[in-house]
Amino acid sequence: MPPTIPLHFNHDKVSVVVPVYNSEATLSELVSRLFQTLGKLSQFEIILINDGSQDSSWAVIKKLATENSFVRGIDLGKNYGQHNALLAGIRAARYPVIVTLDDDLQNPPEEIPKLLLSLKPEVDLVYGARPKEQHGWSRNLASRIVKLSLTYFLGAKTASKSSAFRAFRTQLREGFQDYQCDFISIDVLLSWVTNRFQFVLVEHQSRKEGKSNYSPWKLYRHALNMLTGFTTLPLQLATAIGLVFTVFGGCIFSYVLFNYFWSGNRVPGFAFLASMVAIFSGATLFSIGILGEYLARMYARTIQRPPYSVRAVVESIPQFKSDVA
């Protein structure tokens, strides 16, 4: 049995933020289980953000929000991505503690009390860590790359335990309230305002419906967005690579001169020359590619492309103690 939330516990007002994409089959069960878990709190809300779903998810959200006063629905103008949808929900949250989780029920709502109990006065952010990855090798590799990138931002090895299942203090959003770029990583934004975080092991179940929308390629892109959108580390890497190959080229040139003046021999071989050209060309193109990524993000911020747009909001007058229909 999961731990229950004591009635005297400090976190008795909670906003649950759930990004939704093509999840019409799981939403009703998700809301029902969230109500069963959080029903004893004095106040709580469930914010469902429809991120451009192509199925009937928005219709289901509207029905749930109409029948349950603690459910709020936000319909985004198009598919912006999970982290953009999360940002919309985080900014709309009303209560002092925010819990985020996915819509696929892989993180059971019954595990939320573990996060809240770990959110002690000296902690601002708690991650629900899964015991082990349950994906294919390519997806696991991509996930590790993302978590290694996040470890750089959070500055702790335990950052590798990060996940979309998290609880944090709502006041943290004040540190990125005015952020207006469409390249978003919620974990990086949270790292701007706190380094007081922990993780707790939680149950992780198999996906009930459909398949994950995060392909290995999307995870690689997310890691690249984190690195090039929020840090100069890739530029420093390009500089280091340029320096290494400059030194390497100088050594090769010195070798050629030594053979010519002291031994009277020339370094033979077209393959040798071609390999040198390929190495230096590759290093140059790699550096140019990194610069291109930064220019793309600078351009996006210059034109001030919004991280999301809201098409519609549906909610009823909050009473907080209604039953799930």
Side-chain angles (χ1 to χ4, degrees), residues 225-245:
N225 285 339
M226 283 198 296
L227 290 174
T228 58
F230 301 97
T231 176
T232 59
L233 179 63
L235 288 176
Q236 296 169 351
L237 176 62
T239 301
I241 290 175
L243 177 61
V244 168
F245 280 103

Side-chain angles (χ1 to χ4, degrees), residues 127-192:
Y127 285 107
R130 63 187 64 177
K132 63 179 181 179
E133 300 287 351
Q134 298 181 2
H135 308 290
W137 69 268
S138 59
R139 171 69 188 276
N140 288 342
L141 176 61
S143 297
R144 290 190 182 97
I145 291 176
V146 170
K147 291 182 178 182
L148 284 175
S149 302
L150 188 57
T151 298
Y152 171 81
F153 291 102
L154 297 183
K157 293 181 179 180
T158 52
S160 62
K161 301 291 186 180
S162 63
S163 70
F165 193 32
R166 55 176 89 78
F168 57 92
R169 303 184 190 280
T170 304
Q171 67 186 32
L172 297 183
R173 70 183 176 190
E174 296 175 4
F176 50 88
Q177 188 65 36
D178 298 325
Y179 183 80
Q180 290 296 326
C181 181
D182 59 342
F183 294 106
I184 293 176
S185 170
I186 293 299
D187 299 298
V188 173
L189 295 181
L190 290 171
S191 75
W192 287 359

Side-chain angles (χ1 to χ4, degrees), residues 168-323:
F168 57 92
R169 303 184 190 280
T170 304
Q171 67 186 32
L172 297 183
R173 70 183 176 190
E174 296 175 4
F176 50 88
Q177 188 65 36
D178 298 325
Y179 183 80
Q180 290 296 326
C181 181
D182 59 342
F183 294 106
I184 293 176
S185 170
I186 293 299
D187 299 298
V188 173
L189 295 181
L190 290 171
S191 75
W192 287 359
V193 290
T194 187
N195 58 4
R196 304 193 307 173
F197 64 92
Q198 289 184 354
F199 73 92
V200 59
L201 290 177
V202 296
E203 183 181 353
H204 186 75
Q205 298 178 347
S206 299
R207 189 181 182 94
K208 287 194 171 184
E209 298 285 344
K211 61 181 181 179
S212 174
N213 296 306
Y214 262 113
S215 65
W217 170 245
K218 287 185 178 180
L219 289 172
Y220 291 134
R221 287 296 304 174
H222 181 56
L224 182 61
N225 285 339
M226 283 198 296
L227 290 174
T228 58
F230 301 97
T231 176
T232 59
L233 179 63
L235 288 176
Q236 296 169 351
L237 176 62
T239 301
I241 290 175
L243 177 61
V244 168
F245 280 103
T246 298
V247 173
F248 179 70
C251 293
I252 295 296
F253 185 66
S254 299
Y255 172 72
V256 171
L257 290 179
F258 176 82
N259 274 273
Y260 181 77
F261 287 108
W262 272 266
S263 304
N265 299 323
R266 295 181 180 180
V267 177
F270 173 77
F272 175 81
L273 178 60
S275 63
M276 292 300 100
V277 172
I279 289 174
F280 287 108
S281 298
T284 301
L285 291 174
F286 177 77
S287 300
I288 292 175
I290 290 178
L291 290 174
E293 291 288 342
Y294 275 91
L295 287 174
R297 281 146 186 75
M298 290 173 61
Y299 172 73
R301 289 178 178 174
T302 299
I303 63 176
Q304 296 183 341
R305 188 162 57 186
Y308 58 85
S309 65
V310 177
R311 174 178 292 155
V313 176
V314 57
E315 57 185 327
S316 57
I317 299 175
Q319 298 174 354
F320 309 108
K321 287 300 180 180
S322 62
D323 294 328

Side-chain angles (χ1 to χ4, degrees), residues 12 17 30 56 78 120 221 227 231 282 297:
D12 60 346
V17 177
L30 174 63
S56 301
K78 65 174 187 177
K120 300 175 181 178
R221 287 296 304 174
L227 290 174
T231 176
R297 281 146 186 75

